[in-house]
Amino acid sequence: MTDTLAGKTVLMSGGSRGIGLAIALRAARDGANIALLAKTDTPHPKLEGTVHTAAEQIRDAGGQAIAVVGDVRNDDDIVRAVTETVGEFGGVDIVVNNASVLNLARTLDLQPKHYDLMQDVNVRGTFMLSRAALPHLKEAANPHILSLSPPINLDPKWLGAHTGYTMAKYGMSMATLGMAAEFAREGVAANTLWPRTTIKTAAVGNILGGEKMIARSRTPQIYADAAYEVLLKPAREYTAQSLIVEEVLAEAGVTDLSQYSPGVDESELFPDIFL
């Protein structure tokens, strides 16, 4: 296990705000290099942050950053992101598959274009970004792929609740765990990471439950701190796991999680889906 991400290069899909940005900022505090592949070139009327403001925050936190304006659904953009990352920082040590689309519509209500969007961003994006970076990961000293996706739970409760979204998130996990098996001999770690409670993000506020759910959610920092612990682990030993945020932190000695939900009793936190 290493004790710092200083000098490591992280290639992340998304990351303009929320959980992805929190993970990037945690790595930046060590002096990591961060490349963000995201579409948010200009401000959104309802959402804070662009890929450019995120890059500035990363630099302010102590890291180096490049903003690659592009879409993880576009193969040319993926290749350009990897090329620019390697050109700027000399390689890729870590891939974080953060970009994801959330749509909990039931099967008869889920429009084909929304189904395709989730498959393209969540599953295909995870597979293709990881695939494009793998030649460079294989040359890295402690390479990691980390996908923000859940353990594969075949309980009908989740399979039937929102089949389209469930398939897309499980697809992220399957791609990641498949690569863990395929590239184990090359020493490339690939793991998934998922929280037990909802996280204060725009998606939770706008799609899941509004301000009431936001108030009963933990801050993105809990995800970032857990991801940081994962990315420090020795890649050849710590791979092919469906990790839970709170369990990762407990293993690291962090048992008091109140810092991530100030003023909210543990019993009042809203459980996340899939667990």
mmCIF file of all heavy atoms in Angstrom, residues 97-151:
data_model
loop_
_atom_site.group_PDB
_atom_site.id
_atom_site.type_symbol
_atom_site.label_atom_id
_atom_site.label_comp_id
_atom_site.label_asym_id
_atom_site.label_seq_id
_atom_site.Cartn_x
_atom_site.Cartn_y
_atom_site.Cartn_z
ATOM 1 N N ASN A 97 -14.478 5.734 -13.297
ATOM 2 C CA ASN A 97 -15.704 5.779 -14.098
ATOM 3 C C ASN A 97 -16.818 6.364 -13.232
ATOM 4 O O ASN A 97 -17.504 5.660 -12.499
ATOM 5 C CB ASN A 97 -16.057 4.372 -14.574
ATOM 6 C CG ASN A 97 -15.048 3.845 -15.573
ATOM 7 O OD1 ASN A 97 -14.844 4.448 -16.625
ATOM 8 N ND2 ASN A 97 -14.413 2.740 -15.248
ATOM 9 N N ASN A 98 -16.934 7.678 -13.341
ATOM 10 C CA ASN A 98 -17.872 8.439 -12.522
ATOM 11 C C ASN A 98 -19.129 8.822 -13.288
ATOM 12 O O ASN A 98 -20.222 8.864 -12.717
ATOM 13 C CB ASN A 98 -17.154 9.691 -11.988
ATOM 14 C CG ASN A 98 -18.110 10.739 -11.466
ATOM 15 O OD1 ASN A 98 -18.734 10.569 -10.427
ATOM 16 N ND2 ASN A 98 -18.231 11.841 -12.218
ATOM 17 N N ALA A 99 -19.000 9.107 -14.584
ATOM 18 C CA ALA A 99 -20.146 9.557 -15.377
ATOM 19 C C ALA A 99 -21.251 8.512 -15.365
ATOM 20 O O ALA A 99 -21.005 7.323 -15.578
ATOM 21 C CB ALA A 99 -19.721 9.852 -16.812
ATOM 22 N N SER A 100 -22.468 8.949 -15.105
ATOM 23 C CA SER A 100 -23.589 8.014 -15.011
ATOM 24 C C SER A 100 -24.889 8.776 -15.187
ATOM 25 O O SER A 100 -24.998 9.936 -14.793
ATOM 26 C CB SER A 100 -23.568 7.312 -13.643
ATOM 27 O OG SER A 100 -24.590 6.355 -13.539
ATOM 28 N N VAL A 101 -25.859 8.118 -15.771
ATOM 29 C CA VAL A 101 -27.186 8.696 -15.969
ATOM 30 C C VAL A 101 -28.181 7.950 -15.089
ATOM 31 O O VAL A 101 -28.179 6.716 -15.053
ATOM 32 C CB VAL A 101 -27.623 8.618 -17.442
ATOM 33 C CG1 VAL A 101 -29.048 9.110 -17.611
ATOM 34 C CG2 VAL A 101 -26.661 9.425 -18.312
ATOM 35 N N LEU A 102 -29.008 8.700 -14.390
ATOM 36 C CA LEU A 102 -30.008 8.136 -13.486
ATOM 37 C C LEU A 102 -31.405 8.367 -14.042
ATOM 38 O O LEU A 102 -31.789 9.496 -14.314
ATOM 39 C CB LEU A 102 -29.887 8.792 -12.106
ATOM 40 C CG LEU A 102 -30.994 8.523 -11.086
ATOM 41 C CD1 LEU A 102 -31.012 7.049 -10.702
ATOM 42 C CD2 LEU A 102 -30.799 9.389 -9.852
ATOM 43 N N ASN A 103 -32.151 7.284 -14.227
ATOM 44 C CA ASN A 103 -33.553 7.381 -14.641
ATOM 45 C C ASN A 103 -34.273 6.165 -14.059
ATOM 46 O O ASN A 103 -34.017 5.033 -14.460
ATOM 47 C CB ASN A 103 -33.676 7.403 -16.166
ATOM 48 C CG ASN A 103 -35.088 7.710 -16.631
ATOM 49 O OD1 ASN A 103 -36.064 7.200 -16.079
ATOM 50 N ND2 ASN A 103 -35.212 8.542 -17.652
ATOM 51 N N LEU A 104 -35.149 6.417 -13.110
ATOM 52 C CA LEU A 104 -35.827 5.332 -12.396
ATOM 53 C C LEU A 104 -37.193 4.985 -12.975
ATOM 54 O O LEU A 104 -38.003 4.335 -12.313
ATOM 55 C CB LEU A 104 -35.981 5.699 -10.913
ATOM 56 C CG LEU A 104 -34.688 5.959 -10.152
ATOM 57 C CD1 LEU A 104 -34.982 6.221 -8.683
ATOM 58 C CD2 LEU A 104 -33.712 4.808 -10.306
ATOM 59 N N ALA A 105 -37.436 5.375 -14.218
ATOM 60 C CA ALA A 105 -38.720 5.077 -14.848
ATOM 61 C C ALA A 105 -38.950 3.569 -14.934
ATOM 62 O O ALA A 105 -38.033 2.788 -15.169
ATOM 63 C CB ALA A 105 -38.782 5.695 -16.245
ATOM 64 N N ARG A 106 -40.203 3.178 -14.734
ATOM 65 C CA ARG A 106 -40.582 1.779 -14.906
ATOM 66 C C ARG A 106 -40.514 1.419 -16.390
ATOM 67 O O ARG A 106 -40.460 2.287 -17.258
ATOM 68 C CB ARG A 106 -41.997 1.560 -14.360
ATOM 69 C CG ARG A 106 -42.196 1.992 -12.920
ATOM 70 C CD ARG A 106 -41.641 1.004 -11.943
ATOM 71 N NE ARG A 106 -42.489 -0.184 -11.856
ATOM 72 C CZ ARG A 106 -42.280 -1.179 -11.013
ATOM 73 N NH1 ARG A 106 -41.230 -1.139 -10.192
ATOM 74 N NH2 ARG A 106 -43.084 -2.225 -10.978
ATOM 75 N N THR A 107 -40.515 0.143 -16.685
ATOM 76 C CA THR A 107 -40.271 -0.337 -18.043
ATOM 77 C C THR A 107 -41.193 0.306 -19.076
ATOM 78 O O THR A 107 -40.740 0.769 -20.132
ATOM 79 C CB THR A 107 -40.414 -1.868 -18.093
ATOM 80 O OG1 THR A 107 -39.414 -2.451 -17.255
ATOM 81 C CG2 THR A 107 -40.252 -2.389 -19.513
ATOM 82 N N LEU A 108 -42.490 0.358 -18.813
ATOM 83 C CA LEU A 108 -43.433 0.888 -19.803
ATOM 84 C C LEU A 108 -43.351 2.400 -19.922
ATOM 85 O O LEU A 108 -43.855 2.973 -20.898
ATOM 86 C CB LEU A 108 -44.862 0.455 -19.457
ATOM 87 C CG LEU A 108 -45.131 -1.055 -19.547
ATOM 88 C CD1 LEU A 108 -46.568 -1.375 -19.153
ATOM 89 C CD2 LEU A 108 -44.839 -1.574 -20.949
ATOM 90 N N ASP A 109 -42.715 3.048 -18.953
ATOM 91 C CA ASP A 109 -42.582 4.505 -18.989
ATOM 92 C C ASP A 109 -41.217 4.968 -19.479
ATOM 93 O O ASP A 109 -41.034 6.158 -19.750
ATOM 94 C CB ASP A 109 -42.824 5.083 -17.582
ATOM 95 C CG ASP A 109 -44.226 4.798 -17.068
ATOM 96 O OD1 ASP A 109 -45.170 4.870 -17.882
ATOM 97 O OD2 ASP A 109 -44.369 4.498 -15.869
ATOM 98 N N LEU A 110 -40.267 4.041 -19.581
ATOM 99 C CA LEU A 110 -38.916 4.409 -19.980
ATOM 100 C C LEU A 110 -38.827 4.513 -21.501
ATOM 101 O O LEU A 110 -38.985 3.521 -22.216
ATOM 102 C CB LEU A 110 -37.921 3.366 -19.469
ATOM 103 C CG LEU A 110 -36.441 3.623 -19.768
ATOM 104 C CD1 LEU A 110 -35.975 4.915 -19.111
ATOM 105 C CD2 LEU A 110 -35.592 2.440 -19.300
ATOM 106 N N GLN A 111 -38.579 5.717 -21.970
ATOM 107 C CA GLN A 111 -38.499 5.944 -23.408
ATOM 108 C C GLN A 111 -37.221 5.316 -23.981
ATOM 109 O O GLN A 111 -36.177 5.292 -23.322
ATOM 110 C CB GLN A 111 -38.505 7.443 -23.710
ATOM 111 C CG GLN A 111 -39.791 8.139 -23.291
ATOM 112 C CD GLN A 111 -41.010 7.554 -23.976
ATOM 113 O OE1 GLN A 111 -41.026 7.410 -25.196
ATOM 114 N NE2 GLN A 111 -42.020 7.193 -23.189
ATOM 115 N N PRO A 112 -37.286 4.800 -25.211
ATOM 116 C CA PRO A 112 -36.103 4.165 -25.808
ATOM 117 C C PRO A 112 -34.864 5.048 -25.783
ATOM 118 O O PRO A 112 -33.758 4.561 -25.525
ATOM 119 C CB PRO A 112 -36.558 3.873 -27.241
ATOM 120 C CG PRO A 112 -38.033 3.671 -27.125
ATOM 121 C CD PRO A 112 -38.483 4.654 -26.081
ATOM 122 N N LYS A 113 -35.034 6.341 -26.022
ATOM 123 C CA LYS A 113 -33.852 7.214 -26.039
ATOM 124 C C LYS A 113 -33.215 7.326 -24.655
ATOM 125 O O LYS A 113 -31.996 7.485 -24.518
ATOM 126 C CB LYS A 113 -34.208 8.596 -26.578
ATOM 127 C CG LYS A 113 -35.170 9.399 -25.722
ATOM 128 C CD LYS A 113 -35.433 10.769 -26.332
ATOM 129 C CE LYS A 113 -36.378 11.600 -25.459
ATOM 130 N NZ LYS A 113 -36.623 12.940 -26.055
ATOM 131 N N HIS A 114 -34.047 7.246 -23.598
ATOM 132 C CA HIS A 114 -33.505 7.312 -22.246
ATOM 133 C C HIS A 114 -32.838 5.983 -21.857
ATOM 134 O O HIS A 114 -31.830 5.977 -21.149
ATOM 135 C CB HIS A 114 -34.608 7.684 -21.253
ATOM 136 C CG HIS A 114 -35.159 9.054 -21.474
ATOM 137 N ND1 HIS A 114 -36.486 9.378 -21.287
ATOM 138 C CD2 HIS A 114 -34.557 10.190 -21.898
ATOM 139 C CE1 HIS A 114 -36.679 10.643 -21.573
ATOM 140 N NE2 HIS A 114 -35.515 11.157 -21.953
ATOM 141 N N TYR A 115 -33.407 4.886 -22.319
ATOM 142 C CA TYR A 115 -32.762 3.581 -22.124
ATOM 143 C C TYR A 115 -31.388 3.584 -22.799
ATOM 144 O O TYR A 115 -30.379 3.185 -22.207
ATOM 145 C CB TYR A 115 -33.632 2.468 -22.700
ATOM 146 C CG TYR A 115 -32.966 1.109 -22.686
ATOM 147 C CD1 TYR A 115 -33.089 0.263 -21.585
ATOM 148 C CD2 TYR A 115 -32.195 0.675 -23.776
ATOM 149 C CE1 TYR A 115 -32.454 -0.979 -21.567
ATOM 150 C CE2 TYR A 115 -31.559 -0.552 -23.756
ATOM 151 C CZ TYR A 115 -31.701 -1.377 -22.655
ATOM 152 O OH TYR A 115 -31.059 -2.593 -22.630
ATOM 153 N N ASP A 116 -31.341 4.026 -24.045
ATOM 154 C CA ASP A 116 -30.087 4.052 -24.796
ATOM 155 C C ASP A 116 -29.068 4.962 -24.132
ATOM 156 O O ASP A 116 -27.859 4.637 -24.097
ATOM 157 C CB ASP A 116 -30.336 4.510 -26.229
ATOM 158 C CG ASP A 116 -31.097 3.479 -27.053
ATOM 159 O OD1 ASP A 116 -31.168 2.311 -26.629
ATOM 160 O OD2 ASP A 116 -31.628 3.847 -28.122
ATOM 161 N N LEU A 117 -29.521 6.102 -23.613
ATOM 162 C CA LEU A 117 -28.607 7.037 -22.953
ATOM 163 C C LEU A 117 -27.942 6.382 -21.749
ATOM 164 O O LEU A 117 -26.720 6.494 -21.565
ATOM 165 C CB LEU A 117 -29.365 8.292 -22.524
ATOM 166 C CG LEU A 117 -28.548 9.348 -21.778
ATOM 167 C CD1 LEU A 117 -27.429 9.895 -22.649
ATOM 168 C CD2 LEU A 117 -29.464 10.494 -21.301
ATOM 169 N N MET A 118 -28.722 5.685 -20.931
ATOM 170 C CA MET A 118 -28.138 5.024 -19.758
ATOM 171 C C MET A 118 -27.154 3.943 -20.164
ATOM 172 O O MET A 118 -26.074 3.805 -19.574
ATOM 173 C CB MET A 118 -29.243 4.445 -18.872
ATOM 174 C CG MET A 118 -30.002 5.483 -18.077
ATOM 175 S SD MET A 118 -31.012 4.768 -16.761
ATOM 176 C CE MET A 118 -32.303 3.979 -17.720
ATOM 177 N N GLN A 119 -27.510 3.155 -21.177
ATOM 178 C CA GLN A 119 -26.597 2.109 -21.634
ATOM 179 C C GLN A 119 -25.312 2.716 -22.206
ATOM 180 O O GLN A 119 -24.212 2.213 -21.961
ATOM 181 C CB GLN A 119 -27.287 1.238 -22.684
ATOM 182 C CG GLN A 119 -28.338 0.303 -22.122
ATOM 183 C CD GLN A 119 -27.742 -0.821 -21.296
ATOM 184 O OE1 GLN A 119 -26.696 -1.355 -21.630
ATOM 185 N NE2 GLN A 119 -28.409 -1.183 -20.215
ATOM 186 N N ASP A 120 -25.454 3.791 -22.973
ATOM 187 C CA ASP A 120 -24.288 4.394 -23.620
ATOM 188 C C ASP A 120 -23.336 5.041 -22.622
ATOM 189 O O ASP A 120 -22.113 4.889 -22.726
ATOM 190 C CB ASP A 120 -24.740 5.443 -24.641
ATOM 191 C CG ASP A 120 -25.271 4.821 -25.920
ATOM 192 O OD1 ASP A 120 -25.103 3.598 -26.097
ATOM 193 O OD2 ASP A 120 -25.868 5.545 -26.733
ATOM 194 N N VAL A 121 -23.881 5.773 -21.657
ATOM 195 C CA VAL A 121 -23.024 6.456 -20.686
ATOM 196 C C VAL A 121 -22.522 5.488 -19.627
ATOM 197 O O VAL A 121 -21.321 5.387 -19.380
ATOM 198 C CB VAL A 121 -23.770 7.635 -20.022
ATOM 199 C CG1 VAL A 121 -22.927 8.234 -18.894
ATOM 200 C CG2 VAL A 121 -24.111 8.699 -21.050
ATOM 201 N N ASN A 122 -23.445 4.785 -19.002
ATOM 202 C CA ASN A 122 -23.080 3.966 -17.848
ATOM 203 C C ASN A 122 -22.245 2.746 -18.249
ATOM 204 O O ASN A 122 -21.161 2.518 -17.697
ATOM 205 C CB ASN A 122 -24.336 3.499 -17.107
ATOM 206 C CG ASN A 122 -25.171 4.653 -16.585
ATOM 207 O OD1 ASN A 122 -24.963 5.809 -16.940
ATOM 208 N ND2 ASN A 122 -26.144 4.350 -15.762
ATOM 209 N N VAL A 123 -22.759 1.955 -19.180
ATOM 210 C CA VAL A 123 -22.099 0.691 -19.509
ATOM 211 C C VAL A 123 -21.011 0.892 -20.566
ATOM 212 O O VAL A 123 -19.832 0.604 -20.330
ATOM 213 C CB VAL A 123 -23.117 -0.356 -20.003
ATOM 214 C CG1 VAL A 123 -22.426 -1.711 -20.181
ATOM 215 C CG2 VAL A 123 -24.276 -0.483 -19.037
ATOM 216 N N ARG A 124 -21.409 1.397 -21.712
ATOM 217 C CA ARG A 124 -20.440 1.536 -22.792
ATOM 218 C C ARG A 124 -19.333 2.527 -22.428
ATOM 219 O O ARG A 124 -18.149 2.295 -22.718
ATOM 220 C CB ARG A 124 -21.143 1.978 -24.080
ATOM 221 C CG ARG A 124 -20.259 1.891 -25.313
ATOM 222 C CD ARG A 124 -21.005 2.330 -26.570
ATOM 223 N NE ARG A 124 -20.231 2.034 -27.766
ATOM 224 C CZ ARG A 124 -19.233 2.782 -28.236
ATOM 225 N NH1 ARG A 124 -18.895 3.890 -27.591
ATOM 226 N NH2 ARG A 124 -18.575 2.429 -29.328
ATOM 227 N N GLY A 125 -19.711 3.631 -21.779
ATOM 228 C CA GLY A 125 -18.716 4.616 -21.375
ATOM 229 C C GLY A 125 -17.687 4.037 -20.427
ATOM 230 O O GLY A 125 -16.478 4.279 -20.561
ATOM 231 N N THR A 126 -18.151 3.269 -19.455
ATOM 232 C CA THR A 126 -17.243 2.612 -18.509
ATOM 233 C C THR A 126 -16.299 1.662 -19.239
ATOM 234 O O THR A 126 -15.081 1.669 -19.007
ATOM 235 C CB THR A 126 -18.043 1.846 -17.445
ATOM 236 O OG1 THR A 126 -18.747 2.787 -16.631
ATOM 237 C CG2 THR A 126 -17.158 0.984 -16.578
ATOM 238 N N PHE A 127 -16.857 0.851 -20.114
ATOM 239 C CA PHE A 127 -16.053 -0.136 -20.842
ATOM 240 C C PHE A 127 -15.031 0.550 -21.745
ATOM 241 O O PHE A 127 -13.831 0.213 -21.726
ATOM 242 C CB PHE A 127 -16.958 -1.046 -21.665
ATOM 243 C CG PHE A 127 -16.237 -2.152 -22.373
ATOM 244 C CD1 PHE A 127 -16.054 -3.389 -21.760
ATOM 245 C CD2 PHE A 127 -15.721 -1.974 -23.649
ATOM 246 C CE1 PHE A 127 -15.369 -4.416 -22.407
ATOM 247 C CE2 PHE A 127 -15.044 -2.984 -24.302
ATOM 248 C CZ PHE A 127 -14.869 -4.214 -23.676
ATOM 249 N N MET A 128 -15.480 1.524 -22.532
ATOM 250 C CA MET A 128 -14.608 2.110 -23.550
ATOM 251 C C MET A 128 -13.542 3.028 -22.962
ATOM 252 O O MET A 128 -12.404 3.047 -23.452
ATOM 253 C CB MET A 128 -15.446 2.856 -24.584
ATOM 254 C CG MET A 128 -16.272 1.939 -25.466
ATOM 255 S SD MET A 128 -15.216 0.786 -26.392
ATOM 256 C CE MET A 128 -16.459 -0.194 -27.233
ATOM 257 N N LEU A 129 -13.871 3.767 -21.919
ATOM 258 C CA LEU A 129 -12.846 4.619 -21.310
ATOM 259 C C LEU A 129 -11.782 3.754 -20.645
ATOM 260 O O LEU A 129 -10.581 4.002 -20.795
ATOM 261 C CB LEU A 129 -13.473 5.570 -20.288
ATOM 262 C CG LEU A 129 -12.494 6.569 -19.651
ATOM 263 C CD1 LEU A 129 -11.901 7.503 -20.711
ATOM 264 C CD2 LEU A 129 -13.177 7.385 -18.553
ATOM 265 N N SER A 130 -12.217 2.721 -19.931
ATOM 266 C CA SER A 130 -11.256 1.801 -19.315
ATOM 267 C C SER A 130 -10.403 1.122 -20.385
ATOM 268 O O SER A 130 -9.172 1.006 -20.246
ATOM 269 C CB SER A 130 -11.990 0.754 -18.484
ATOM 270 O OG SER A 130 -12.782 1.350 -17.477
ATOM 271 N N ARG A 131 -11.058 0.674 -21.441
ATOM 272 C CA ARG A 131 -10.365 -0.014 -22.538
ATOM 273 C C ARG A 131 -9.291 0.874 -23.153
ATOM 274 O O ARG A 131 -8.162 0.426 -23.416
ATOM 275 C CB ARG A 131 -11.375 -0.432 -23.601
ATOM 276 C CG ARG A 131 -10.806 -1.066 -24.864
ATOM 277 C CD ARG A 131 -11.933 -1.402 -25.830
ATOM 278 N NE ARG A 131 -11.433 -1.990 -27.058
ATOM 279 C CZ ARG A 131 -11.049 -1.276 -28.122
ATOM 280 N NH1 ARG A 131 -11.108 0.048 -28.089
ATOM 281 N NH2 ARG A 131 -10.605 -1.890 -29.213
ATOM 282 N N ALA A 132 -9.633 2.136 -23.399
ATOM 283 C CA ALA A 132 -8.690 3.047 -24.047
ATOM 284 C C ALA A 132 -7.487 3.341 -23.155
ATOM 285 O O ALA A 132 -6.379 3.570 -23.648
ATOM 286 C CB ALA A 132 -9.402 4.356 -24.409
ATOM 287 N N ALA A 133 -7.709 3.327 -21.836
ATOM 288 C CA ALA A 133 -6.620 3.642 -20.910
ATOM 289 C C ALA A 133 -5.784 2.428 -20.541
ATOM 290 O O ALA A 133 -4.662 2.575 -20.028
ATOM 291 C CB ALA A 133 -7.196 4.274 -19.636
ATOM 292 N N LEU A 134 -6.282 1.227 -20.796
ATOM 293 C CA LEU A 134 -5.612 0.021 -20.321
ATOM 294 C C LEU A 134 -4.157 -0.136 -20.798
ATOM 295 O O LEU A 134 -3.299 -0.565 -20.004
ATOM 296 C CB LEU A 134 -6.419 -1.219 -20.678
ATOM 297 C CG LEU A 134 -7.423 -1.633 -19.598
ATOM 298 C CD1 LEU A 134 -8.492 -2.557 -20.155
ATOM 299 C CD2 LEU A 134 -6.684 -2.299 -18.427
ATOM 300 N N PRO A 135 -3.822 0.176 -22.050
ATOM 301 C CA PRO A 135 -2.404 0.056 -22.432
ATOM 302 C C PRO A 135 -1.484 0.883 -21.544
ATOM 303 O O PRO A 135 -0.347 0.483 -21.274
ATOM 304 C CB PRO A 135 -2.389 0.550 -23.881
ATOM 305 C CG PRO A 135 -3.772 0.264 -24.379
ATOM 306 C CD PRO A 135 -4.672 0.538 -23.203
ATOM 307 N N HIS A 136 -1.971 2.022 -21.074
ATOM 308 C CA HIS A 136 -1.169 2.887 -20.203
ATOM 309 C C HIS A 136 -1.235 2.413 -18.753
ATOM 310 O O HIS A 136 -0.232 2.478 -18.033
ATOM 311 C CB HIS A 136 -1.643 4.335 -20.330
ATOM 312 C CG HIS A 136 -1.619 4.829 -21.738
ATOM 313 N ND1 HIS A 136 -0.452 5.196 -22.378
ATOM 314 C CD2 HIS A 136 -2.620 4.983 -22.646
ATOM 315 C CE1 HIS A 136 -0.727 5.566 -23.616
ATOM 316 N NE2 HIS A 136 -2.038 5.444 -23.808
ATOM 317 N N LEU A 137 -2.387 1.932 -18.334
ATOM 318 C CA LEU A 137 -2.504 1.380 -16.984
ATOM 319 C C LEU A 137 -1.545 0.206 -16.793
ATOM 320 O O LEU A 137 -0.944 0.043 -15.724
ATOM 321 C CB LEU A 137 -3.941 0.927 -16.716
ATOM 322 C CG LEU A 137 -5.002 2.015 -16.582
ATOM 323 C CD1 LEU A 137 -6.401 1.398 -16.544
ATOM 324 C CD2 LEU A 137 -4.773 2.858 -15.333
ATOM 325 N N LYS A 138 -1.406 -0.609 -17.816
ATOM 326 C CA LYS A 138 -0.523 -1.781 -17.727
ATOM 327 C C LYS A 138 0.942 -1.381 -17.516
ATOM 328 O O LYS A 138 1.750 -2.190 -17.048
ATOM 329 C CB LYS A 138 -0.671 -2.646 -18.977
ATOM 330 C CG LYS A 138 -2.004 -3.387 -19.038
ATOM 331 C CD LYS A 138 -2.299 -3.943 -20.420
ATOM 332 C CE LYS A 138 -1.340 -5.020 -20.812
ATOM 333 N NZ LYS A 138 -1.720 -5.639 -22.122
ATOM 334 N N GLU A 139 1.283 -0.145 -17.847
ATOM 335 C CA GLU A 139 2.644 0.353 -17.664
ATOM 336 C C GLU A 139 2.811 1.103 -16.346
ATOM 337 O O GLU A 139 3.942 1.480 -15.989
ATOM 338 C CB GLU A 139 3.010 1.299 -18.819
ATOM 339 C CG GLU A 139 2.973 0.660 -20.195
ATOM 340 C CD GLU A 139 3.966 -0.489 -20.320
ATOM 341 O OE1 GLU A 139 5.086 -0.366 -19.792
ATOM 342 O OE2 GLU A 139 3.615 -1.519 -20.931
ATOM 343 N N ALA A 140 1.717 1.325 -15.616
ATOM 344 C CA ALA A 140 1.762 2.107 -14.385
ATOM 345 C C ALA A 140 2.228 1.255 -13.213
ATOM 346 O O ALA A 140 2.142 0.024 -13.227
ATOM 347 C CB ALA A 140 0.384 2.699 -14.094
ATOM 348 N N ALA A 141 2.714 1.924 -12.167
ATOM 349 C CA ALA A 141 3.267 1.218 -11.016
ATOM 350 C C ALA A 141 2.181 0.591 -10.141
ATOM 351 O O ALA A 141 2.391 -0.493 -9.579
ATOM 352 C CB ALA A 141 4.109 2.181 -10.183
ATOM 353 N N ASN A 142 1.060 1.252 -10.000
ATOM 354 C CA ASN A 142 -0.014 0.731 -9.133
ATOM 355 C C ASN A 142 -1.366 1.100 -9.749
ATOM 356 O O ASN A 142 -2.097 1.921 -9.221
ATOM 357 C CB ASN A 142 0.109 1.315 -7.723
ATOM 358 C CG ASN A 142 -0.752 0.583 -6.714
ATOM 359 O OD1 ASN A 142 -0.784 -0.649 -6.677
ATOM 360 N ND2 ASN A 142 -1.465 1.335 -5.890
ATOM 361 N N PRO A 143 -1.718 0.465 -10.873
ATOM 362 C CA PRO A 143 -2.868 0.911 -11.655
ATOM 363 C C PRO A 143 -4.209 0.459 -11.089
ATOM 364 O O PRO A 143 -4.363 -0.683 -10.652
ATOM 365 C CB PRO A 143 -2.623 0.272 -13.024
ATOM 366 C CG PRO A 143 -1.857 -0.978 -12.707
ATOM 367 C CD PRO A 143 -0.991 -0.644 -11.538
ATOM 368 N N HIS A 144 -5.169 1.375 -11.113
ATOM 369 C CA HIS A 144 -6.507 1.089 -10.616
ATOM 370 C C HIS A 144 -7.575 1.567 -11.596
ATOM 371 O O HIS A 144 -7.453 2.646 -12.183
ATOM 372 C CB HIS A 144 -6.757 1.818 -9.291
ATOM 373 C CG HIS A 144 -6.167 1.156 -8.101
ATOM 374 N ND1 HIS A 144 -6.856 0.262 -7.319
ATOM 375 C CD2 HIS A 144 -4.925 1.266 -7.546
ATOM 376 C CE1 HIS A 144 -6.084 -0.147 -6.326
ATOM 377 N NE2 HIS A 144 -4.905 0.443 -6.436
ATOM 378 N N ILE A 145 -8.616 0.764 -11.729
ATOM 379 C CA ILE A 145 -9.883 1.198 -12.322
ATOM 380 C C ILE A 145 -10.905 1.170 -11.192
ATOM 381 O O ILE A 145 -11.026 0.165 -10.482
ATOM 382 C CB ILE A 145 -10.337 0.263 -13.455
ATOM 383 C CG1 ILE A 145 -9.345 0.290 -14.622
ATOM 384 C CG2 ILE A 145 -11.739 0.628 -13.936
ATOM 385 C CD1 ILE A 145 -9.610 -0.786 -15.677
ATOM 386 N N LEU A 146 -11.607 2.274 -11.005
ATOM 387 C CA LEU A 146 -12.638 2.348 -9.970
ATOM 388 C C LEU A 146 -13.926 2.850 -10.603
ATOM 389 O O LEU A 146 -13.956 3.943 -11.175
ATOM 390 C CB LEU A 146 -12.219 3.285 -8.848
ATOM 391 C CG LEU A 146 -13.207 3.395 -7.679
ATOM 392 C CD1 LEU A 146 -13.358 2.053 -6.962
ATOM 393 C CD2 LEU A 146 -12.767 4.476 -6.700
ATOM 394 N N SER A 147 -14.974 2.053 -10.517
ATOM 395 C CA SER A 147 -16.275 2.428 -11.075
ATOM 396 C C SER A 147 -17.265 2.675 -9.944
ATOM 397 O O SER A 147 -17.360 1.875 -9.002
ATOM 398 C CB SER A 147 -16.805 1.322 -11.999
ATOM 399 O OG SER A 147 -15.927 1.134 -13.091
ATOM 400 N N LEU A 148 -17.983 3.763 -10.047
ATOM 401 C CA LEU A 148 -18.953 4.124 -9.018
ATOM 402 C C LEU A 148 -20.269 3.429 -9.344
ATOM 403 O O LEU A 148 -21.195 4.004 -9.906
ATOM 404 C CB LEU A 148 -19.110 5.640 -8.951
ATOM 405 C CG LEU A 148 -17.800 6.441 -8.825
ATOM 406 C CD1 LEU A 148 -18.098 7.890 -8.517
ATOM 407 C CD2 LEU A 148 -16.860 5.838 -7.778
ATOM 408 N N SER A 149 -20.320 2.160 -8.990
ATOM 409 C CA SER A 149 -21.462 1.312 -9.318
ATOM 410 C C SER A 149 -21.652 0.284 -8.216
ATOM 411 O O SER A 149 -20.744 0.023 -7.426
ATOM 412 C CB SER A 149 -21.264 0.640 -10.679
ATOM 413 O OG SER A 149 -20.075 -0.137 -10.686
ATOM 414 N N PRO A 150 -22.833 -0.331 -8.152
ATOM 415 C CA PRO A 150 -23.186 -1.159 -6.996
ATOM 416 C C PRO A 150 -22.781 -2.618 -7.135
ATOM 417 O O PRO A 150 -22.477 -3.101 -8.228
ATOM 418 C CB PRO A 150 -24.716 -1.045 -6.976
ATOM 419 C CG PRO A 150 -25.076 -0.935 -8.423
ATOM 420 C CD PRO A 150 -23.975 -0.115 -9.054
ATOM 421 N N PRO A 151 -22.820 -3.332 -6.009
ATOM 422 C CA PRO A 151 -22.693 -4.788 -6.088
ATOM 423 C C PRO A 151 -23.880 -5.350 -6.859
ATOM 424 O O PRO A 151 -24.973 -4.784 -6.829
ATOM 425 C CB PRO A 151 -22.711 -5.233 -4.622
ATOM 426 C CG PRO A 151 -23.376 -4.124 -3.886
ATOM 427 C CD PRO A 151 -23.026 -2.871 -4.624
#
